[in-house]
Amino acid sequence: GQQVMQIPQYQHVQEGEDFTTYCNSSTTLSNIQWYKQRPGGHPVFLIQLVKSGEVKKQKRLTFQFGEAKKNSSLHITATQTTDVGTYFCAGPKENAGNMLTFGGGTRLMVKP
Amino acid sequence: DGGITQSPKYLFRKEGQNVTLSCEQNLNHDAMYWYRQDPGQGLRLIYYSQIVNDFQKGDIAEGYSVSREKKESFPLTVTSAQKNPTAFYLCASSRISNQPQHFGDGTRLSIL
């Protein structure tokens, strides 16, 4: 069945360092969404990518969708303590595109 | 102020008891979802409703039931058949299927 994997599972960085999380799907995705969940909170939608090779930026966050539409990445430049949380990617479920399949998430911890 | 309201925030279940988690949205969204999140894990879909009076099973529907009698409401019942119900339950909605999802604050369910 379809799998959406994220690496790494955990990442500790020093404040000011860069951070990247990778999302890989076993199937081609029509689109990919990214969410952020702060500790003890609920997921919050960040962005949706639709086109092959698409790159979108939100301040210090850069999102990419792979050419084959099977992988994506989120890069944070110069991390801050406010970036702490778990970042999830999600794509339409294979053969049930009305539902999303979430990756396992990457938990980011930032040392001040 | 539009959003999704989940209640209660914390819930304790006794052995053999059914409990119902409430989810209400005033975003005028057609699609609603229930997810289960275990500590340090991603989100797994329990049930999904695309429209009033219609719902579909997700990946882990066994031991759960839902209803969608009103557009605004999508309650989840955790039945006694669910032998390991301790988890964080998140309700979400989206304008239509496959669009970005808005999440409630969640309900933490534990067994007494």
Side-chain angles (χ1 to χ4, degrees), chain A residues 76-94:
Chain A
I76 303 179
T77 303
T79 54
Q80 299 175 359
T81 54
T82 53
D83 295 325
V84 164
T86 302
Y87 293 84
F88 293 99
C89 64
K93 191 174 176 63
E94 185 180 27

Side-chain angles (χ1 to χ4, degrees), chain A:
Chain A
Q2 179 193 39
Q3 289 194 9
V4 177
M5 308 292 289
Q6 282 185 256
I7 53 169
Q9 196 173 357
Y10 304 95
Q11 183 86 57
H12 287 86
V13 298
Q14 194 72 39
E15 188 173 21
E17 290 181 341
D18 291 356
F19 158 77
T20 303
T21 172
Y22 299 91
C23 177
N24 296 292
S25 170
S26 58
T27 59
T28 302
L29 302 171
S30 60
N31 69 82
I32 194 154
Q33 298 176 21
W34 285 91
Y35 293 79
K36 176 184 178 181
Q37 183 176 24
R38 292 183 188 276
H42 60 270
V44 174
F45 171 76
L46 295 176
I47 209 160
Q48 180 173 347
L49 304 171
V50 178
K51 298 177 184 174
S52 169
E54 189 170 13
V55 178
K56 285 189 176 179
K57 292 192 176 186
Q58 288 180 349
K59 299 183 180 177
R60 294 178 295 104
L61 278 61
T62 301
F63 302 84
Q64 290 189 319
F65 199 10
E67 293 289 342
K69 302 183 79 172
K70 293 180 74 173
N71 54 70
S72 181
S73 65
L74 158 58
H75 179 81
I76 303 179
T77 303
T79 54
Q80 299 175 359
T81 54
T82 53
D83 295 325
V84 164
T86 302
Y87 293 84
F88 293 99
C89 64
K93 191 174 176 63
E94 185 180 27
N95 300 324
N98 293 337
M99 308 182 198
L100 288 179
T101 296
F102 280 79
T106 294
R107 184 175 171 194
L108 173 63
M109 289 154 279
V110 180
K111 291 184 198 175

Side-chain angles (χ1 to χ4, degrees), chain B residues 1-47:
Chain B
D1 205 17
I4 299 180
T5 302
Q6 288 189 243
S7 63
K9 192 167 185 176
Y10 299 95
L11 186 58
F12 297 92
R13 195 193 87 171
K14 295 180 183 177
E15 290 283 345
Q17 186 183 39
N18 293 351
V19 292
T20 297
L21 284 59
S22 170
C23 177
E24 303 279 331
Q25 56 98 357
N26 61 4
L27 298 167
N28 200 32
H29 285 173
D30 284 322
M32 296 188 75
Y33 315 80
W34 273 105
Y35 294 94
R36 170 179 171 144
Q37 187 175 36
D38 292 284
Q41 303 295 312
L43 283 68
R44 291 184 292 168
L45 184 66
I46 305 173
Y47 266 99

